[in-house]
Amino acid sequence: MEIDFREIFHALSDTLDLVGVDDVYHGKRVAYMALECARAYGFDEDALNRIYHAGLIHDCGVSSTTVHRYLTTDLNWQASRDHCIAGADLLRRNNFVPELAPLIYYHHTRWLDLQDVDLPLEDKLLSNCIYLVDRADALMIQRKNVDVLTVYHEIRQILKNYRGKLFAPRLVDVFLDISRSEFFWLGLLPRHIDYFVREMSEREQTKKISRADFLNIAKVFASVVDAKSPFTAEHSFGVSYLAKFVGERAGMAEEICREIQIAGLLHDIGKLNIPDEILEKPGPLTIGEKSIMVRHSFETYQVLRRIKGLGSITRWASFHHEKLNGSGYPFGLNAEEIPEEARIVSVADIFQALMQNRPYRQGLKGGEITTILQKYAASGCIDSGYVDLVHDNLDECLQLASCHAV
């Protein structure tokens, strides 16, 4: 499996930026500013790569739109360290770029407090640089309805006031120097950030990785998604284990089953773009809220399609709300257009969702779940063959669908 590692970082950044709902460039703006600041500071190429990638995924411990709101509206929120700890643990636990974990862990630690931390000076400076530009972006978000060119002097002054306290003195000096012109701030506008990311994408970091290694990367994505709400906790992992099992029972090749498992882990990436208050609403959704909900599988498709090496996995993950009778979304596919592997993910997704407690109902028991699945199959929505397979292996399916991250 040949994957451009930089595409993975950009896709993970896309995933994390969905949490911002209506502001989906935070990670990329932080990466841009951190890279420019570190380059002006004089760091070598290896350090520049580290801070760029860390900037893209620095908020990998944030899944909740509520937490994101606090982080961007309060310059020095007291609970900000929680997501740093969660993010660093996520990278270490899945052995995904563990060398970036210290930068993630300390990216909200004050410079004064970093002096007592047993950490290489370079890591202290890089993490503090991310903190500095992250706060610059938070101040921009707070003023998003105002032309940035009318407020950037104010933002620079606020950050200057924290020189030597929150931020390393020389880092602040470098930032103030590179941000003194309109050029720096105009580069943060969406279309210019898009161009910056495209430029960075051209500097490929292609390497071959095994399906097993990519499985760990997919678990990083899934962990971020499942952390969004207690009502969706373990959903992606449960779907992945169950889908893999169904594929195995259906006689599919081991390699295909592993890819189905990856699709199960990645299928709900787009849910991060749904505000917490909609996902956790205890009553019926309004028409407007439903329209927001149905976008999530398209958002999944948009994130995954940029990872070229994924191939069919992107479609299997993104088609999980398509229906055999053509009534599904967002593509409105018919039976001939829905691959067997996507049909399996769809059945596993419905099964696991029915098992879980949701804000509007309690989780259902095995017999209740299979009855509903059989009704869906009878109406032409999902594949009856895979529903029968689940029914015949109900105890194992219930156990696998309740599995959590490992």
Side-chain angles (χ1 to χ4, degrees):
M1 184 180 195
E2 192 165 287
I3 295 278
D4 179 356
F5 227 58
R6 185 149 284 177
E7 287 181 354
I8 293 173
F9 276 100
H10 288 157
L12 183 52
S13 178
D14 287 345
T15 300
L16 298 169
D17 281 350
L18 289 174
V19 182
V21 180
D22 59 355
D23 179 36
V24 292
Y25 285 91
H26 174 65
K28 297 173 184 63
R29 290 193 299 260
V30 167
Y32 165 77
M33 289 189 285
L35 182 62
E36 292 301 309
C37 195
R39 184 178 284 134
Y41 194 97
F43 285 105
D44 63 22
E45 195 64 27
D46 180 62
L48 294 181
N49 277 322
R50 290 182 71 213
I51 201 167
Y52 175 67
H53 291 138
L56 286 172
I57 67 169
H58 73 282
D59 272 346
C60 58
V62 181
S63 304
S64 161
T65 55
T66 303
V67 171
H68 182 274
R69 199 174 299 127
Y70 278 120
L71 286 168
T72 54
T73 57
D74 189 336
L75 188 65
N76 200 15
W77 184 40
Q78 292 302 305
S80 61
R81 287 280 295 134
D82 293 349
H83 80 283
C84 303
I85 296 168
D89 178 66
L90 177 64
L91 299 187
R92 293 190 183 108
R93 187 173 70 244
N94 292 284
N95 196 32
F96 176 64
V97 289
E99 67 274 13
L100 298 185
L103 307 191
I104 305 300
Y105 188 90
Y106 291 107
H107 85 269
H108 271 273
T109 300
R110 302 187 317 157
W111 181 249
L112 286 174
D113 296 331
L114 271 174
Q115 305 313 299
D116 298 324
V117 175
D118 183 17
L119 193 69
L121 178 60
E122 180 174 283
D123 284 8
K124 290 182 182 181
L125 288 168
L126 294 179
S127 61
N128 196 241
C129 183
I130 293 173
Y131 187 19
L132 171 63
V133 299
D134 175 78
R135 296 300 80 196
D137 198 60
L139 290 168
M140 279 183 56
I141 292 172
Q142 292 169 23
R143 295 157 177 79
K144 64 182 178 181
N145 295 322
V146 182
D147 188 329
V148 68
L149 295 187
T150 68
V151 296
Y152 78 87
H153 292 296
E154 176 191 356
I155 293 172
R156 293 171 76 247
Q157 184 58 51
I158 291 172
L159 296 173
K160 183 179 179 180
N161 292 338
Y162 289 101
R163 183 182 185 276
K165 301 168 187 173
L166 295 186
F167 314 121
R170 191 182 162 208
L171 277 175
V172 173
D173 295 342
V174 168
F175 177 80
L176 292 175
D177 183 53
I178 65 172
S179 66
R180 70 187 185 279
S181 69
E182 291 86 351
F183 175 86
F184 177 85
W185 299 94
L186 290 173
L188 295 166
L189 297 177
R191 64 182 182 277
H192 303 310
I193 282 292
D194 281 335
Y195 181 77
F196 163 73
V197 172
R198 283 200 303 273
E199 264 194 327
M200 296 300 292
S201 297
E202 292 169 3
R203 305 173 190 178
E204 292 184 346
Q205 295 186 339
T206 303
K207 60 191 253 186
K208 287 189 176 180
I209 60 175
S210 68
R211 282 289 190 272
D213 287 338
F214 189 79
L215 186 63
N216 285 334
I217 295 171
K219 287 178 180 179
V220 172
F221 283 79
S223 296
V224 174
V225 174
D226 286 1
K228 181 170 179 62
S229 166
F231 295 107
T232 59
E234 304 175 0
H235 177 66
S236 301
F237 282 88
V239 170
S240 73
Y241 293 129
L242 177 56
K244 180 174 181 284
F245 172 79
V246 172
E248 290 169 343
R249 283 292 186 271
M252 293 183 172
E254 181 181 349
E255 188 70 13
I256 295 297
C257 292
R258 191 186 293 275
E259 292 181 350
I260 291 173
Q261 182 181 9
I262 291 171
L265 287 167
L266 300 175
H267 80 285
D268 257 355
I269 284 173
K271 280 260 177 84
L272 289 170
N273 199 224
I274 300 172
D276 298 351
E277 53 268 26
I278 293 179
L279 201 61
E280 299 182 353
K281 186 175 180 179
L285 299 180
T286 66
I287 293 175
E289 290 166 342
K290 286 179 181 177
S291 73
I292 291 172
M293 283 289 289
V294 301
R295 297 173 189 172
H296 77 273
S297 47
F298 179 72
E299 295 292 352
T300 294
Y301 175 75
Q302 290 293 77
V303 169
L304 296 181
R305 67 196 291 250
R306 76 178 307 158
I307 307 177
K308 299 182 185 67
L310 280 186
S312 298
I313 293 173
T314 295
R315 295 187 302 128
W316 303 346
S318 306
F319 293 174
H320 68 280
H321 280 293
E322 300 297 327
K323 300 290 184 283
L324 301 183
N325 60 14
S327 65
Y329 63 85
F331 301 100
L333 304 179
N334 56 41
E336 292 73 25
E337 298 171 299
I338 303 175
E340 296 296 319
E341 297 86 352
R343 299 181 186 202
I344 290 174
V345 175
S346 178
V347 170
D349 175 57
I350 298 170
F351 185 101
Q352 208 287 332
L354 292 172
M355 265 189 64
Q356 284 190 304
N357 292 330
R358 292 296 164 97
Y360 47 86
R361 61 153 173 79
Q362 290 295 303
L364 305 181
K365 298 186 182 301
E368 297 172 310
I369 294 171
T370 54
T371 296
I372 292 174
L373 288 176
Q374 287 165 345
K375 287 180 180 177
Y376 286 163
S379 65
C381 291
I382 56 178
D383 195 301
S384 60
Y386 298 123
V387 171
D388 291 343
L389 195 154
V390 166
H391 180 270
D392 294 342
N393 298 272
L394 184 56
D395 289 341
E396 286 175 283
C397 289
L398 288 168
Q399 183 178 0
L400 288 166
S402 61
C403 286
H404 54 77
V406 293

